[in-house]
Amino acid sequence: LVTQADIESDQHICGQIRNEFPGDVVLSEELNTVCSGDSRVVWVVDPLDGTTNYSHGLPLWGVSIARLVNGQPDLGVIYFPVLGELYHATRGGGAFENHDPISVSKQDGMEANGLFSCCSRTLQRYHVGTPCKTRVLGAATYGLCSIARGNAMAGMEAIPKIWDIAAAWLIVEEAGGFISTLDRS
């Protein structure tokens, strides 16, 4: 699903990045989905994460922008305009919601009243055996920000693209969490 808002937001954001950082490469979900492998600095843009939520009038959608240096995120910003929530992190600088520092849950283990965030594809492809209450929020970035601020204890995205997770990856790490691939061995 792609809306006019996706395209216009993509054009605006990517144009601004190119104007400010003309030597950098921009990779985006809608208009620039491929970049060369020899770029040192790559901006990764998801102009509207949660498009289905957006198209149905649900407030869980946002804009995600990350800067990768040598393949690693060093700056991540995610904004959910309807909710007034701005998440940001820099490598080594901590993670924040608006201006307040955030951190992942300090619980030692998964518990029955904790939350587990995932996408609908996770539930279609995998048997999720967790004592936590499962929540499908409809935006990968929102699920990951929920982990970063300690609302959800864990999460899983079945087939994310780089623009779905680049900014949130850094935010989760800077909030004290980690992201890993599923070990299928």
Side-chain angles (χ1 to χ4, degrees):
L1 178 65
V2 177
T3 67
Q4 190 64 30
D6 288 274
I7 294 168
E8 290 176 8
S9 178
D10 195 300
Q11 290 171 335
H12 178 74
I13 293 167
C14 293
Q16 291 296 314
I17 292 170
R18 283 190 194 95
N19 286 340
E20 293 293 321
F21 306 97
D24 296 352
V25 171
V26 180
L27 177 69
S28 71
E29 180 180 24
E30 307 306 338
L31 303 175
N32 304 299
T33 60
V34 178
C35 71
S36 71
D38 60 352
S39 304
R40 183 179 162 305
V41 178
V42 177
W43 292 85
V44 180
V45 177
D46 190 341
L48 205 165
D49 184 49
T51 301
T52 301
N53 286 351
Y54 171 81
S55 69
H56 289 283
L58 297 173
L60 298 180
W61 58 270
V63 177
S64 176
I65 302 171
R67 182 181 65 200
L68 308 183
V69 176
N70 297 322
Q72 297 296 314
D74 81 328
L75 170 72
V77 178
I78 302 171
Y79 181 51
F80 299 97
V82 176
L83 303 175
E85 296 177 8
L86 174 67
Y87 296 86
H88 58 96
T90 56
R91 175 77 51 205
F96 301 86
E97 178 184 352
N98 297 324
H99 299 291
D100 300 323
I102 56 174
S103 66
V104 297
S105 174
K106 301 300 183 210
Q107 297 288 336
D108 283 337
M110 304 291 265
E111 56 184 48
N113 65 346
L115 298 180
F116 176 84
S117 170
C118 68
C119 65
S120 58
R121 290 175 302 281
T122 297
L123 298 177
Q124 294 165 356
R125 293 172 179 244
Y126 301 97
H127 169 72
V128 179
T130 175
C132 295
K133 299 194 181 300
T134 301
R135 296 293 181 262
V136 176
L137 301 172
T141 54
Y142 199 78
L144 291 168
C145 285
S146 295
I147 294 166
R149 71 170 178 245
N151 295 117
M153 299 180 78
M156 182 175 175
E157 293 293 322
I159 51 173
K161 305 290 189 275
I162 187 68
W163 42 76
D164 295 323
I165 62 169
W169 187 320
L170 181 63
I171 292 167
V172 168
E173 285 184 346
E174 288 297 318
F178 69 94
I179 292 184
S180 180
T181 58
L182 181 63
D183 183 5
R184 302 207 62 177
S185 54

